[in-house]
């Protein structure tokens, strides 16, 4: 089952009606595999439905976030972004401080770091909201 249909099931189970607006916002976020700001969600939805205004999009995004079917990402100096819930597949984020590109890091790859911190420092790290900053491969190629 796709993550999108799981999200829709989750809404149904909570007794939430999937209005056309909610469906379009959900689709914009789930089909772009990325991390979209409210403005970007608005642009995508407008391609299908040109008359939906930004405040409607904003309210719908907030509602879907409260329902737990989209995730929120807050990064310093950037607009808040929203992403699909990857059910059962945790991931972390790494952001390029030069171009702002965001990549996802499989939680499995962070497990080793977590183990080292526990074994060596006795520190139980909370990796749930971890965001790494650095430089992406493309930016390193331009200015190493
Ligand atoms: Zn970059
Ligand atoms: Zn992500």
């Amino acid at each position: 089952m796709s993550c999108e249909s799981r999200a829709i099931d989750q809404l149904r189970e909570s007794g939430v009606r999937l209005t056309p607006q909610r469906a379009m916002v959900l689709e914009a976020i789930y089909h772009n595999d990325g991390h979209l700001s409210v403005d970007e969600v608005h642009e995508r939805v407008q391609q299908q439905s040109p008359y939906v205004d930004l405040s409607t999009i904003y309210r719908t995004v907030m509602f879907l976030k409260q329902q737990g079917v989209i995730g929120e990402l807050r990064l310093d100096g950037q607009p808040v972004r929203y992403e699909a819930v990857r059910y059962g597949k945790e991931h972390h984020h790494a952001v390029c401080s030069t171009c702002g590109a965001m990549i996802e890091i499989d939680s499995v790859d962070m497990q080793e770091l977590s183990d080292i911190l526990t074994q060596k420092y006795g520190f139980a790290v909370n990796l749930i909201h971890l965001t790494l900053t650095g430089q992406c491969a493309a930016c390193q190629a331009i200015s190493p």
Side-chain angles (χ1 to χ4, degrees):
M1 190 191 278
S2 76
C3 287
E4 192 183 5
S5 44
R6 265 185 85 164
I8 291 168
D9 276 3
Q10 190 179 321
L11 290 174
R12 280 211 191 98
E13 280 161 23
S14 320
V16 171
R17 208 161 65 85
L18 194 65
T19 61
Q21 272 152 16
R22 288 172 187 164
M24 282 189 293
V25 168
L26 210 58
E27 192 186 306
I29 292 172
Y30 274 75
H31 285 201
N32 286 286
D33 225 25
H35 307 85
L36 305 179
S37 66
V38 171
D39 282 333
E40 287 166 338
V41 173
H42 187 215
E43 279 166 28
R44 303 245 149 93
V45 170
Q46 274 189 321
Q47 288 166 10
Q48 289 181 58
S49 183
Y51 302 108
V52 178
D53 64 19
L54 186 60
S55 63
T56 304
I57 298 295
Y58 183 80
R59 279 198 308 275
T60 308
V61 166
M62 291 302 122
F63 177 79
L64 294 172
K65 191 192 88 180
Q66 278 164 16
Q67 294 296 320
V69 292
I70 58 176
E72 183 183 74
L73 277 156
R74 289 179 176 273
L75 301 167
D76 289 346
Q78 287 192 30
V80 183
R81 303 196 215 180
Y82 297 90
E83 68 175 352
V85 174
R86 253 55 67 79
Y87 293 89
K89 274 189 90 187
E90 273 291 328
H91 68 276
H92 306 292
H93 298 98
V95 182
C96 176
S97 43
T98 306
C99 72
M102 184 181 280
I103 64 165
E104 297 197 340
I105 299 170
D106 205 312
S107 62
V108 175
D109 295 329
M110 297 305 294
Q111 194 54 49
E112 206 172 328
L113 170 66
S114 170
D115 291 346
I116 289 170
L117 290 170
T118 306
Q119 284 158 20
K120 202 169 167 185
Y121 303 94
F123 187 76
V125 68
N126 172 7
L127 290 175
I128 295 169
H129 295 295
L130 180 74
T131 301
L132 303 166
T133 51
Q135 236 183 358
C136 73
C139 289
Q140 287 176 63
I142 301 166
S143 56

